[in-house]
Amino acid sequence: MTAAGHRPPEADERAGAPAPGARPRTGTRRRRRAVLGTAALAAAVAAVVPAPEARHGGTGAHEASGPAHAASARPAGARAAAPAQDFRPGAPEPEKCADGKSPDASLRADGGSGKTVRAIKKRGKLVVGVDQNSYLWGFRDPTDGSIQGFDVDLVKAIARDILGDDGPDKITYKTIPTNKRFEAIEHRDVDMVVRAVTITCERKRDVAFSTAYFEAGQQLLAPEDSEVNGFDSSMNGRRICYASGSMAETMMTSDRFRALGAKPVVVPNQLDCLVRLQLGEADAVVTDNALAAGQAAQDPSVELVGTPQTVEPYGVAMHPDADDLVRRVNKVLEDYRKDGWRESYKEWLADNMDTKDGKEPAPPKARYSD
């Protein structure tokens, strides 16, 4: 395995990267169907939501959160652990901070320009930390090398709002590994990170977040013939892969999950775990089920297993001194939830998702702290 951010082409080939000339589009590529999930969905033991980390307390909220139409069921062909065996039966609870408030509460939306936004306008470019290895979320289009995906569509919406355009002369994409996301923000190497970043109470001590734009949960991804059936005794002695600095690492190194007896396989980037599975160097992967859905779409020999163990809102991560930028991004998200979110969802994720009632999913509603 090479250094983070410098994976050899053969690694991408093993991981099932899209073939040159086959630009992914909804309905044109084979994908394993997944499920859009929320806290309500988790309560119904759903599997996947359409929808990588260091240390980072929460503030109050004025508005309710959650999609308008939650989905149910599980990915086609996925193996769900029997409820009696599941490590955490029932609904995983959303995190609450020490003050009892939700971590995804953010500063109220404002379309104005403070010092941070003015600096971006003066520079003429938005510098954003993104992924290049998460299929459907942030990955390189094999036809032209451009960064594409659900997260990238949000980046472009932010650039259009601040700079009036989303062309390559207006956005600098910096591809960063999972374990370097918050370091990039701390050192001001980027204006923001849009890379499936989970908002947590701990992370909010060091990083500012937008309101939530997606919701996911930690789940297992395993080969179809794997003996790992869920977060239960089947994990004992098995090689379980996750990315350094990820929510999966935080969960799996906690006393409760460490007691399952899994042997950790820790890698810099989450996609490296799929390669480890394909090389026979890991028995299962723990990751956000939203990202796992993309990996299952890449490789039909793997599937989601068991039930989600957490409820995790995704947010845009920014420097804690950039209040004006946080408010501006939240204003973009208010508008984006009305139409752009659904367009992007249909483009990248809809072909993987089943819904309980046939209704279109909706983004999480904003929570504000002021």
Side-chain angles (χ1 to χ4, degrees), residues 213-286:
Y213 67 88
F214 211 85
E215 196 172 86
Q218 293 297 314
Q219 196 167 348
L220 283 163
L221 183 74
E224 292 178 339
D225 59 355
S226 174
E227 296 183 3
V228 178
N229 297 313
F231 291 90
D232 53 32
S233 60
S234 68
M235 293 180 71
N236 186 37
R238 303 297 177 183
R239 300 162 299 173
I240 306 299
C241 187
Y242 46 81
S244 173
S246 67
M247 287 302 298
E249 181 180 47
T250 299
M251 186 180 81
M252 291 303 296
T253 55
S254 67
D255 291 343
R256 192 174 186 186
F257 285 84
R258 193 165 55 237
L260 293 173
K263 296 180 180 179
V265 178
V266 186
V267 296
N269 270 307
Q270 200 279 327
L271 184 64
D272 293 329
C273 282
L274 181 58
V275 177
R276 295 296 180 99
L277 277 184
Q278 294 168 332
L279 294 176
E281 297 174 358
D283 299 304
V285 175
V286 180

Side-chain angles (χ1 to χ4, degrees), residues 99-150:
D99 59 3
K101 305 297 177 56
S102 299
D104 60 338
S106 183
L107 298 176
R108 191 163 293 278
D110 188 338
S113 297
K115 63 178 183 179
T116 310
V117 174
R118 288 196 298 269
I120 294 171
K121 289 182 175 182
K122 182 177 180 180
R123 185 198 308 142
K125 275 203 171 187
L126 182 68
V127 184
V128 187
V130 296
D131 198 354
Q132 64 175 349
N133 293 321
S134 291
Y135 187 49
L136 308 181
W137 289 84
F139 68 100
R140 288 199 178 276
D141 187 323
T143 62
D144 59 13
S146 64
I147 303 291
Q148 301 285 343
F150 187 82

Side-chain angles (χ1 to χ4, degrees), residues 78-238:
R79 290 171 285 127
Q85 294 179 321
D86 207 19
F87 182 66
R88 187 179 291 177
E93 293 292 331
E95 184 184 17
K96 294 293 183 182
C97 299
D99 59 3
K101 305 297 177 56
S102 299
D104 60 338
S106 183
L107 298 176
R108 191 163 293 278
D110 188 338
S113 297
K115 63 178 183 179
T116 310
V117 174
R118 288 196 298 269
I120 294 171
K121 289 182 175 182
K122 182 177 180 180
R123 185 198 308 142
K125 275 203 171 187
L126 182 68
V127 184
V128 187
V130 296
D131 198 354
Q132 64 175 349
N133 293 321
S134 291
Y135 187 49
L136 308 181
W137 289 84
F139 68 100
R140 288 199 178 276
D141 187 323
T143 62
D144 59 13
S146 64
I147 303 291
Q148 301 285 343
F150 187 82
D151 278 340
V152 178
D153 283 356
L154 176 55
V155 172
K156 292 178 178 180
I158 295 170
R160 288 194 300 269
D161 181 78
I162 296 176
L163 298 172
D165 193 8
D166 61 8
D169 60 328
K170 296 297 182 181
I171 307 173
T172 296
Y173 296 103
K174 289 196 173 185
T175 58
I176 53 179
T178 302
N179 59 356
K180 298 295 183 182
R181 293 176 298 175
F182 300 113
E183 182 180 310
I185 294 172
E186 179 185 0
H187 295 164
R188 299 183 185 273
D189 295 330
V190 296
D191 297 313
M192 61 186 64
V193 172
V194 186
R195 196 185 184 282
V197 184
T198 299
I199 309 169
T200 72
C201 303
E202 187 176 11
R203 288 173 176 174
K204 287 184 70 172
R205 300 172 190 167
D206 302 317
V207 171
F209 283 98
S210 69
T211 54
Y213 67 88
F214 211 85
E215 196 172 86
Q218 293 297 314
Q219 196 167 348
L220 283 163
L221 183 74
E224 292 178 339
D225 59 355
S226 174
E227 296 183 3
V228 178
N229 297 313
F231 291 90
D232 53 32
S233 60
S234 68
M235 293 180 71
N236 186 37
R238 303 297 177 183

